[in-house]
Amino acid sequence: MTERVKALREITYTKMHGLGNNYIYINQFEEQLPEEKLPQYAIEVSNLYTGIGSDGMILICPSELAEVKMRIFNKDGSEGKNCGNGLRCVAKYAYENGIVSAEKFAIETLGGIVQAEVHLKYDRVDTVTIDMGKPQWTRGSLPMSGESNDKVINESVQFEENVFHMTGVSMGNPHMVMFVDEIEAAPLTTAGPYFTDHEMFPESINVEFVEVVSDKEFHFRVWERGSGITQACGTGACAAVVAGVLNEKTSKGTEVTVHLAGGDLFITWAKDDHVWMTGPAVTITTGVFYSQG
Ligand SMILES: N[C@@H](CCC[C@H](N)C(=O)O)C(=O)O
């Protein structure tokens, strides 16, 4: 009994969400978790039945290149390079917990450095705008099999009896966007895992289905690598708008309202090539997690 109690590790966490895309956030300024155990902690906390329940785990860390650094681990323990909904929550956490004092600041990710601006309501951060930087859309940037400098725009791919058209976009992390006529009919639970783990994507990929209502309005559903269906994917919504421009469904400089399962994001691929994303960030609860590890 005593040994069992001794083995427990207490991890102080905050659970936050951006449009229902929810993660367990851990403040690495105050608590250093052992590097080799991070995938295991992500799996443990994400479990709905024996953990807290989440789409993964996000670390808020000191940075030498920016005011703060974000690291994102998916539900299966794999480390992602970027997370749009996570960035907005990290920005809210950093501002409200005094890690930063300015309303505009930089956040480092494994996919690059982005700029955040928090928008306040009654002294709390309500929404956040992120300058997500410049997208890339070569096979090499995803990565995807084939000639590294080639682009993947509207490329046909077969799934069961249907042909889809895919456009690959990297927002620091990789996305495969497919435009469909009706979002509700998109085969998310079958084509999602099929394409995510397809051999053409050696590092796996996030899969998005998008229905275009107009050049200013898209419907969006996602199957995320490492987490499966989530209510929202910020980088995926940015990739959808970039893919929309590349396929002439919208244009640079047009703000697109992207309707995700968990709510709306406002995204513009600006004429200077930067992608801007604005949306909410919400704190759900704080607590202590007892890891068995
Ligand atoms: N939900 C995120 C993306 C999280 C990481 C992704 N699953 C990956 O492995 O690339 C978002 O809001 O962007």
mmCIF file of all heavy atoms in Angstrom, residues 18 21 23 55 58 72-74 78-88 132 172-175 203-206 222-228 230 232-237 265 277, ligand 1:
data_model
loop_
_atom_site.group_PDB
_atom_site.id
_atom_site.type_symbol
_atom_site.label_atom_id
_atom_site.label_comp_id
_atom_site.label_asym_id
_atom_site.label_seq_id
_atom_site.Cartn_x
_atom_site.Cartn_y
_atom_site.Cartn_z
ATOM 1 N N GLY A 18 -10.754 25.082 -26.930
ATOM 2 C CA GLY A 18 -11.020 26.048 -27.992
ATOM 3 C C GLY A 18 -12.035 25.388 -28.900
ATOM 4 O O GLY A 18 -11.711 24.397 -29.568
ATOM 5 N N ASN A 21 -12.247 21.600 -28.667
ATOM 6 C CA ASN A 21 -10.975 20.865 -28.828
ATOM 7 C C ASN A 21 -10.225 21.055 -27.508
ATOM 8 O O ASN A 21 -9.640 22.103 -27.258
ATOM 9 C CB ASN A 21 -10.208 21.451 -30.014
ATOM 10 C CG ASN A 21 -8.969 20.682 -30.406
ATOM 11 O OD1 ASN A 21 -8.086 21.231 -31.051
ATOM 12 N ND2 ASN A 21 -8.868 19.417 -30.050
ATOM 13 N N TYR A 23 -7.777 20.140 -24.150
ATOM 14 C CA TYR A 23 -6.483 19.564 -23.754
ATOM 15 C C TYR A 23 -6.241 19.802 -22.273
ATOM 16 O O TYR A 23 -6.793 20.731 -21.675
ATOM 17 C CB TYR A 23 -5.332 20.198 -24.556
ATOM 18 C CG TYR A 23 -5.376 19.865 -26.031
ATOM 19 C CD1 TYR A 23 -6.011 20.705 -26.934
ATOM 20 C CD2 TYR A 23 -4.802 18.684 -26.519
ATOM 21 C CE1 TYR A 23 -6.073 20.389 -28.283
ATOM 22 C CE2 TYR A 23 -4.856 18.363 -27.863
ATOM 23 C CZ TYR A 23 -5.495 19.218 -28.741
ATOM 24 O OH TYR A 23 -5.561 18.898 -30.077
ATOM 25 N N ASP A 55 -8.447 15.608 -25.596
ATOM 26 C CA ASP A 55 -7.897 15.288 -26.920
ATOM 27 C C ASP A 55 -6.378 15.158 -26.857
ATOM 28 O O ASP A 55 -5.737 14.872 -27.881
ATOM 29 C CB ASP A 55 -8.267 16.386 -27.929
ATOM 30 C CG ASP A 55 -9.774 16.444 -28.189
ATOM 31 O OD1 ASP A 55 -10.401 15.366 -28.227
ATOM 32 O OD2 ASP A 55 -10.313 17.555 -28.348
ATOM 33 N N ILE A 58 -1.081 19.497 -23.411
ATOM 34 C CA ILE A 58 -0.263 20.614 -23.920
ATOM 35 C C ILE A 58 0.604 21.168 -22.791
ATOM 36 O O ILE A 58 0.115 21.427 -21.686
ATOM 37 C CB ILE A 58 -1.166 21.704 -24.540
ATOM 38 C CG1 ILE A 58 -1.741 21.166 -25.875
ATOM 39 C CG2 ILE A 58 -0.392 23.001 -24.756
ATOM 40 C CD1 ILE A 58 -2.590 22.113 -26.654
ATOM 41 N N ILE A 72 2.644 20.130 -27.916
ATOM 42 C CA ILE A 72 1.353 19.443 -27.970
ATOM 43 C C ILE A 72 1.545 17.943 -28.142
ATOM 44 O O ILE A 72 2.312 17.516 -29.010
ATOM 45 C CB ILE A 72 0.484 20.005 -29.130
ATOM 46 C CG1 ILE A 72 -0.461 18.944 -29.782
ATOM 47 C CG2 ILE A 72 1.313 20.510 -30.306
ATOM 48 C CD1 ILE A 72 -1.763 18.840 -29.210
ATOM 49 N N PHE A 73 0.893 17.179 -27.292
ATOM 50 C CA PHE A 73 0.884 15.719 -27.410
ATOM 51 C C PHE A 73 -0.548 15.273 -27.686
ATOM 52 O O PHE A 73 -1.478 15.664 -26.977
ATOM 53 C CB PHE A 73 1.400 15.057 -26.118
ATOM 54 C CG PHE A 73 2.872 15.298 -25.906
ATOM 55 C CD1 PHE A 73 3.322 16.481 -25.340
ATOM 56 C CD2 PHE A 73 3.807 14.357 -26.293
ATOM 57 C CE1 PHE A 73 4.686 16.727 -25.170
ATOM 58 C CE2 PHE A 73 5.167 14.576 -26.134
ATOM 59 C CZ PHE A 73 5.608 15.774 -25.577
ATOM 60 N N ASN A 74 -0.707 14.471 -28.724
ATOM 61 C CA ASN A 74 -2.022 13.936 -29.051
ATOM 62 C C ASN A 74 -2.434 12.886 -28.023
ATOM 63 O O ASN A 74 -1.617 12.432 -27.203
ATOM 64 C CB ASN A 74 -2.000 13.330 -30.462
ATOM 65 C CG ASN A 74 -1.800 14.394 -31.534
ATOM 66 O OD1 ASN A 74 -2.519 15.391 -31.565
ATOM 67 N ND2 ASN A 74 -0.814 14.185 -32.405
ATOM 68 N N SER A 78 1.586 10.693 -29.256
ATOM 69 C CA SER A 78 2.484 11.232 -30.299
ATOM 70 C C SER A 78 2.574 12.750 -30.148
ATOM 71 O O SER A 78 1.607 13.405 -29.756
ATOM 72 C CB SER A 78 1.974 10.873 -31.698
ATOM 73 O OG SER A 78 0.683 11.420 -31.911
ATOM 74 N N GLU A 79 3.752 13.297 -30.471
ATOM 75 C CA GLU A 79 3.917 14.745 -30.344
ATOM 76 C C GLU A 79 3.616 15.419 -31.675
ATOM 77 O O GLU A 79 4.175 15.066 -32.715
ATOM 78 C CB GLU A 79 5.339 15.111 -29.871
ATOM 79 C CG GLU A 79 5.478 16.613 -29.651
ATOM 80 C CD GLU A 79 6.684 17.019 -28.828
ATOM 81 O OE1 GLU A 79 7.585 16.190 -28.613
ATOM 82 O OE2 GLU A 79 6.710 18.201 -28.400
ATOM 83 N N GLY A 80 2.720 16.413 -31.658
ATOM 84 C CA GLY A 80 2.421 17.199 -32.858
ATOM 85 C C GLY A 80 3.338 18.413 -32.905
ATOM 86 O O GLY A 80 4.051 18.712 -31.943
ATOM 87 N N LYS A 81 3.303 19.111 -34.054
ATOM 88 C CA LYS A 81 4.195 20.274 -34.178
ATOM 89 C C LYS A 81 3.468 21.585 -33.980
ATOM 90 O O LYS A 81 4.092 22.630 -33.770
ATOM 91 C CB LYS A 81 4.870 20.254 -35.549
ATOM 92 C CG LYS A 81 5.866 19.123 -35.681
ATOM 93 C CD LYS A 81 6.679 19.246 -36.930
ATOM 94 C CE LYS A 81 7.791 18.206 -36.921
ATOM 95 N NZ LYS A 81 8.133 17.738 -38.237
ATOM 96 N N ASN A 82 2.150 21.564 -34.084
ATOM 97 C CA ASN A 82 1.405 22.809 -33.943
ATOM 98 C C ASN A 82 -0.029 22.482 -33.552
ATOM 99 O O ASN A 82 -0.498 21.363 -33.766
ATOM 100 C CB ASN A 82 1.434 23.607 -35.266
ATOM 101 C CG ASN A 82 1.181 25.091 -35.047
ATOM 102 O OD1 ASN A 82 0.932 25.529 -33.926
ATOM 103 N ND2 ASN A 82 1.246 25.859 -36.112
ATOM 104 N N CYS A 83 -0.736 23.465 -33.014
ATOM 105 C CA CYS A 83 -2.130 23.262 -32.599
ATOM 106 C C CYS A 83 -2.786 24.637 -32.490
ATOM 107 O O CYS A 83 -2.470 25.402 -31.580
ATOM 108 C CB CYS A 83 -2.166 22.529 -31.255
ATOM 109 S SG CYS A 83 -3.840 22.298 -30.638
ATOM 110 N N GLY A 84 -3.671 24.934 -33.429
ATOM 111 C CA GLY A 84 -4.285 26.266 -33.477
ATOM 112 C C GLY A 84 -5.152 26.559 -32.262
ATOM 113 O O GLY A 84 -5.063 27.630 -31.652
ATOM 114 N N ASN A 85 -5.999 25.593 -31.876
ATOM 115 C CA ASN A 85 -6.850 25.815 -30.700
ATOM 116 C C ASN A 85 -5.997 25.861 -29.438
ATOM 117 O O ASN A 85 -6.275 26.623 -28.507
ATOM 118 C CB ASN A 85 -7.909 24.715 -30.601
ATOM 119 C CG ASN A 85 -8.883 24.777 -31.770
ATOM 120 O OD1 ASN A 85 -9.341 25.854 -32.148
ATOM 121 N ND2 ASN A 85 -9.178 23.635 -32.358
ATOM 122 N N GLY A 86 -4.947 25.057 -29.413
ATOM 123 C CA GLY A 86 -4.026 25.070 -28.277
ATOM 124 C C GLY A 86 -3.306 26.404 -28.150
ATOM 125 O O GLY A 86 -3.118 26.910 -27.036
ATOM 126 N N LEU A 87 -2.935 26.996 -29.276
ATOM 127 C CA LEU A 87 -2.231 28.296 -29.221
ATOM 128 C C LEU A 87 -3.099 29.360 -28.567
ATOM 129 O O LEU A 87 -2.615 30.169 -27.758
ATOM 130 C CB LEU A 87 -1.852 28.748 -30.637
ATOM 131 C CG LEU A 87 -0.637 28.055 -31.252
ATOM 132 C CD1 LEU A 87 -0.557 28.350 -32.744
ATOM 133 C CD2 LEU A 87 0.649 28.498 -30.548
ATOM 134 N N ARG A 88 -4.389 29.370 -28.916
ATOM 135 C CA ARG A 88 -5.266 30.390 -28.312
ATOM 136 C C ARG A 88 -5.381 30.163 -26.801
ATOM 137 O O ARG A 88 -5.397 31.118 -26.013
ATOM 138 C CB ARG A 88 -6.647 30.385 -28.979
ATOM 139 C CG ARG A 88 -6.619 30.723 -30.479
ATOM 140 C CD ARG A 88 -7.989 31.122 -31.005
ATOM 141 N NE ARG A 88 -9.043 30.213 -30.604
ATOM 142 C CZ ARG A 88 -9.286 29.028 -31.163
ATOM 143 N NH1 ARG A 88 -8.571 28.628 -32.193
ATOM 144 N NH2 ARG A 88 -10.263 28.250 -30.710
ATOM 145 N N MET A 132 -0.625 32.986 -37.782
ATOM 146 C CA MET A 132 -0.099 31.615 -37.868
ATOM 147 C C MET A 132 1.107 31.506 -38.800
ATOM 148 O O MET A 132 1.649 30.415 -38.986
ATOM 149 C CB MET A 132 -1.197 30.666 -38.365
ATOM 150 C CG MET A 132 -2.426 30.620 -37.475
ATOM 151 S SD MET A 132 -2.166 29.709 -35.950
ATOM 152 C CE MET A 132 -2.089 28.028 -36.521
ATOM 153 N N GLY A 172 2.701 24.181 -40.298
ATOM 154 C CA GLY A 172 3.657 23.774 -39.250
ATOM 155 C C GLY A 172 3.399 22.318 -38.935
ATOM 156 O O GLY A 172 4.301 21.586 -38.545
ATOM 157 N N ASN A 173 2.165 21.877 -39.084
ATOM 158 C CA ASN A 173 1.782 20.457 -39.028
ATOM 159 C C ASN A 173 1.002 20.138 -40.308
ATOM 160 O O ASN A 173 0.498 21.042 -40.983
ATOM 161 C CB ASN A 173 0.989 20.147 -37.749
ATOM 162 C CG ASN A 173 -0.323 20.885 -37.666
ATOM 163 O OD1 ASN A 173 -0.572 21.838 -38.398
ATOM 164 N ND2 ASN A 173 -1.187 20.473 -36.769
ATOM 165 N N PRO A 174 0.895 18.852 -40.653
ATOM 166 C CA PRO A 174 0.397 18.499 -41.994
ATOM 167 C C PRO A 174 -1.115 18.256 -42.069
ATOM 168 O O PRO A 174 -1.696 17.628 -41.179
ATOM 169 C CB PRO A 174 1.151 17.190 -42.262
ATOM 170 C CG PRO A 174 1.319 16.570 -40.920
ATOM 171 C CD PRO A 174 1.430 17.680 -39.920
ATOM 172 N N HIS A 175 -1.701 18.713 -43.174
ATOM 173 C CA HIS A 175 -3.149 18.566 -43.381
ATOM 174 C C HIS A 175 -3.449 18.131 -44.801
ATOM 175 O O HIS A 175 -2.817 18.605 -45.748
ATOM 176 C CB HIS A 175 -3.863 19.894 -43.108
ATOM 177 C CG HIS A 175 -3.703 20.336 -41.696
ATOM 178 N ND1 HIS A 175 -4.549 19.936 -40.686
ATOM 179 C CD2 HIS A 175 -2.750 21.103 -41.115
ATOM 180 C CE1 HIS A 175 -4.127 20.454 -39.536
ATOM 181 N NE2 HIS A 175 -3.031 21.168 -39.763
ATOM 182 N N GLU A 203 4.663 10.393 -41.920
ATOM 183 C CA GLU A 203 4.514 10.871 -40.529
ATOM 184 C C GLU A 203 3.045 10.997 -40.153
ATOM 185 O O GLU A 203 2.688 11.730 -39.240
ATOM 186 C CB GLU A 203 5.234 12.219 -40.353
ATOM 187 C CG GLU A 203 6.741 12.071 -40.482
ATOM 188 C CD GLU A 203 7.486 13.383 -40.342
ATOM 189 O OE1 GLU A 203 6.909 14.376 -39.852
ATOM 190 O OE2 GLU A 203 8.669 13.416 -40.753
ATOM 191 N N SER A 204 2.172 10.317 -40.952
ATOM 192 C CA SER A 204 0.740 10.394 -40.697
ATOM 193 C C SER A 204 0.244 11.806 -41.038
ATOM 194 O O SER A 204 1.042 12.714 -41.303
ATOM 195 C CB SER A 204 0.481 9.995 -39.246
ATOM 196 O OG SER A 204 -0.864 9.978 -38.953
ATOM 197 N N ILE A 205 -1.069 12.026 -41.043
ATOM 198 C CA ILE A 205 -1.574 13.349 -41.462
ATOM 199 C C ILE A 205 -2.932 13.618 -40.829
ATOM 200 O O ILE A 205 -3.638 12.677 -40.443
ATOM 201 C CB ILE A 205 -1.652 13.421 -43.017
ATOM 202 C CG1 ILE A 205 -1.617 14.881 -43.494
ATOM 203 C CG2 ILE A 205 -2.882 12.688 -43.562
ATOM 204 C CD1 ILE A 205 -1.099 15.064 -44.886
ATOM 205 N N ASN A 206 -3.294 14.882 -40.699
ATOM 206 C CA ASN A 206 -4.629 15.281 -40.248
ATOM 207 C C ASN A 206 -5.515 15.377 -41.489
ATOM 208 O O ASN A 206 -5.101 15.939 -42.505
ATOM 209 C CB ASN A 206 -4.558 16.640 -39.547
ATOM 210 C CG ASN A 206 -3.644 16.595 -38.336
ATOM 211 O OD1 ASN A 206 -3.953 15.954 -37.340
ATOM 212 N ND2 ASN A 206 -2.484 17.249 -38.420
ATOM 213 N N VAL A 222 -13.121 17.183 -39.047
ATOM 214 C CA VAL A 222 -11.718 16.729 -39.004
ATOM 215 C C VAL A 222 -11.573 15.356 -38.353
ATOM 216 O O VAL A 222 -12.306 15.012 -37.418
ATOM 217 C CB VAL A 222 -10.849 17.765 -38.250
ATOM 218 C CG1 VAL A 222 -11.272 17.899 -36.787
ATOM 219 C CG2 VAL A 222 -9.361 17.432 -38.336
ATOM 220 N N TRP A 223 -10.603 14.614 -38.891
ATOM 221 C CA TRP A 223 -10.067 13.421 -38.216
ATOM 222 C C TRP A 223 -8.599 13.745 -37.962
ATOM 223 O O TRP A 223 -7.809 13.855 -38.886
ATOM 224 C CB TRP A 223 -10.196 12.171 -39.093
ATOM 225 C CG TRP A 223 -9.648 10.950 -38.398
ATOM 226 C CD1 TRP A 223 -8.331 10.600 -38.300
ATOM 227 C CD2 TRP A 223 -10.378 9.954 -37.690
ATOM 228 N NE1 TRP A 223 -8.195 9.442 -37.571
ATOM 229 C CE2 TRP A 223 -9.439 9.022 -37.178
ATOM 230 C CE3 TRP A 223 -11.734 9.745 -37.411
ATOM 231 C CZ2 TRP A 223 -9.813 7.905 -36.427
ATOM 232 C CZ3 TRP A 223 -12.099 8.633 -36.665
ATOM 233 C CH2 TRP A 223 -11.154 7.727 -36.182
ATOM 234 N N GLU A 224 -8.234 13.935 -36.685
ATOM 235 C CA GLU A 224 -6.857 14.331 -36.372
ATOM 236 C C GLU A 224 -5.953 13.121 -36.190
ATOM 237 O O GLU A 224 -6.349 12.139 -35.541
ATOM 238 C CB GLU A 224 -6.823 15.141 -35.072
ATOM 239 C CG GLU A 224 -7.358 16.541 -35.233
ATOM 240 C CD GLU A 224 -7.009 17.412 -34.030
ATOM 241 O OE1 GLU A 224 -5.937 17.215 -33.426
ATOM 242 O OE2 GLU A 224 -7.826 18.273 -33.701
ATOM 243 N N ARG A 225 -4.750 13.227 -36.717
ATOM 244 C CA ARG A 225 -3.779 12.167 -36.445
ATOM 245 C C ARG A 225 -3.525 12.155 -34.931
ATOM 246 O O ARG A 225 -3.462 13.213 -34.285
ATOM 247 C CB ARG A 225 -2.476 12.368 -37.217
ATOM 248 C CG ARG A 225 -1.662 13.543 -36.787
ATOM 249 C CD ARG A 225 -0.276 13.552 -37.427
ATOM 250 N NE ARG A 225 0.428 14.769 -37.033
ATOM 251 C CZ ARG A 225 1.637 15.091 -37.435
ATOM 252 N NH1 ARG A 225 2.291 14.303 -38.256
ATOM 253 N NH2 ARG A 225 2.208 16.205 -37.037
ATOM 254 N N GLY A 226 -3.477 10.978 -34.391
ATOM 255 C CA GLY A 226 -3.162 10.853 -32.957
ATOM 256 C C GLY A 226 -4.323 11.066 -32.013
ATOM 257 O O GLY A 226 -4.226 10.764 -30.829
ATOM 258 N N SER A 227 -5.451 11.609 -32.501
ATOM 259 C CA SER A 227 -6.583 11.876 -31.602
ATOM 260 C C SER A 227 -7.931 11.466 -32.181
ATOM 261 O O SER A 227 -8.909 11.360 -31.461
ATOM 262 C CB SER A 227 -6.634 13.357 -31.217
ATOM 263 O OG SER A 227 -5.511 13.690 -30.427
ATOM 264 N N GLY A 228 -8.028 11.261 -33.498
ATOM 265 C CA GLY A 228 -9.313 10.894 -34.118
ATOM 266 C C GLY A 228 -10.213 12.109 -34.301
ATOM 267 O O GLY A 228 -9.725 13.234 -34.461
ATOM 268 N N THR A 230 -12.187 15.242 -33.545
ATOM 269 C CA THR A 230 -12.250 16.263 -32.500
ATOM 270 C C THR A 230 -13.296 17.289 -32.918
ATOM 271 O O THR A 230 -13.716 17.328 -34.080
ATOM 272 C CB THR A 230 -10.891 16.965 -32.278
ATOM 273 O OG1 THR A 230 -10.501 17.621 -33.488
ATOM 274 C CG2 THR A 230 -9.814 15.975 -31.847
ATOM 275 N N ALA A 232 -12.913 20.393 -33.148
ATOM 276 C CA ALA A 232 -12.342 21.524 -33.892
ATOM 277 C C ALA A 232 -10.848 21.305 -34.080
ATOM 278 O O ALA A 232 -10.213 20.650 -33.258
ATOM 279 C CB ALA A 232 -12.566 22.830 -33.117
ATOM 280 N N CYS A 233 -10.310 21.882 -35.142
ATOM 281 C CA CYS A 233 -8.861 21.848 -35.364
ATOM 282 C C CYS A 233 -8.479 23.196 -35.977
ATOM 283 O O CYS A 233 -8.864 23.494 -37.120
ATOM 284 C CB CYS A 233 -8.495 20.691 -36.292
ATOM 285 S SG CYS A 233 -6.731 20.611 -36.662
ATOM 286 N N GLY A 234 -7.777 24.002 -35.214
ATOM 287 C CA GLY A 234 -7.451 25.359 -35.666
ATOM 288 C C GLY A 234 -6.518 25.370 -36.862
ATOM 289 O O GLY A 234 -6.754 26.075 -37.851
ATOM 290 N N THR A 235 -5.438 24.562 -36.783
ATOM 291 C CA THR A 235 -4.521 24.514 -37.924
ATOM 292 C C THR A 235 -5.235 23.923 -39.136
ATOM 293 O O THR A 235 -5.000 24.351 -40.276
ATOM 294 C CB THR A 235 -3.265 23.681 -37.592
ATOM 295 O OG1 THR A 235 -3.674 22.428 -37.021
ATOM 296 C CG2 THR A 235 -2.350 24.406 -36.618
ATOM 297 N N GLY A 236 -6.133 22.959 -38.896
ATOM 298 C CA GLY A 236 -6.887 22.351 -39.997
ATOM 299 C C GLY A 236 -7.804 23.360 -40.666
ATOM 300 O O GLY A 236 -7.937 23.382 -41.899
ATOM 301 N N ALA A 237 -8.450 24.207 -39.873
ATOM 302 C CA ALA A 237 -9.335 25.238 -40.436
ATOM 303 C C ALA A 237 -8.518 26.240 -41.260
ATOM 304 O O ALA A 237 -8.950 26.686 -42.327
ATOM 305 C CB ALA A 237 -10.094 25.935 -39.306
ATOM 306 N N LEU A 265 -14.600 29.600 -36.404
ATOM 307 C CA LEU A 265 -13.324 30.320 -36.440
ATOM 308 C C LEU A 265 -13.362 31.300 -37.601
ATOM 309 O O LEU A 265 -14.040 31.046 -38.603
ATOM 310 C CB LEU A 265 -12.156 29.349 -36.641
ATOM 311 C CG LEU A 265 -11.740 28.516 -35.444
ATOM 312 C CD1 LEU A 265 -10.662 27.499 -35.841
ATOM 313 C CD2 LEU A 265 -11.218 29.404 -34.309
ATOM 314 N N MET A 277 -5.934 33.708 -37.667
ATOM 315 C CA MET A 277 -7.041 32.929 -37.094
ATOM 316 C C MET A 277 -7.533 33.629 -35.829
ATOM 317 O O MET A 277 -6.734 33.966 -34.952
ATOM 318 C CB MET A 277 -6.531 31.529 -36.723
ATOM 319 C CG MET A 277 -7.509 30.705 -35.901
ATOM 320 S SD MET A 277 -6.750 29.228 -35.193
ATOM 321 C CE MET A 277 -5.544 29.927 -34.095
HETATM 322 N N1 LIG B 1 -6.210 20.216 -32.709
HETATM 323 C C1 LIG B 1 -5.080 20.867 -33.200
HETATM 324 C C2 LIG B 1 -4.010 20.059 -33.885
HETATM 325 C C3 LIG B 1 -3.358 19.061 -32.923
HETATM 326 C C4 LIG B 1 -2.160 18.319 -33.488
HETATM 327 C C5 LIG B 1 -2.487 17.410 -34.644
HETATM 328 N N2 LIG B 1 -3.338 16.304 -34.286
HETATM 329 C C6 LIG B 1 -1.159 16.877 -35.239
HETATM 330 O O1 LIG B 1 -0.671 15.829 -34.823
HETATM 331 O O2 LIG B 1 -0.635 17.536 -36.155
HETATM 332 C C7 LIG B 1 -5.371 22.226 -33.778
HETATM 333 O O3 LIG B 1 -6.275 22.898 -33.246
HETATM 334 O O4 LIG B 1 -4.692 22.692 -34.685
#
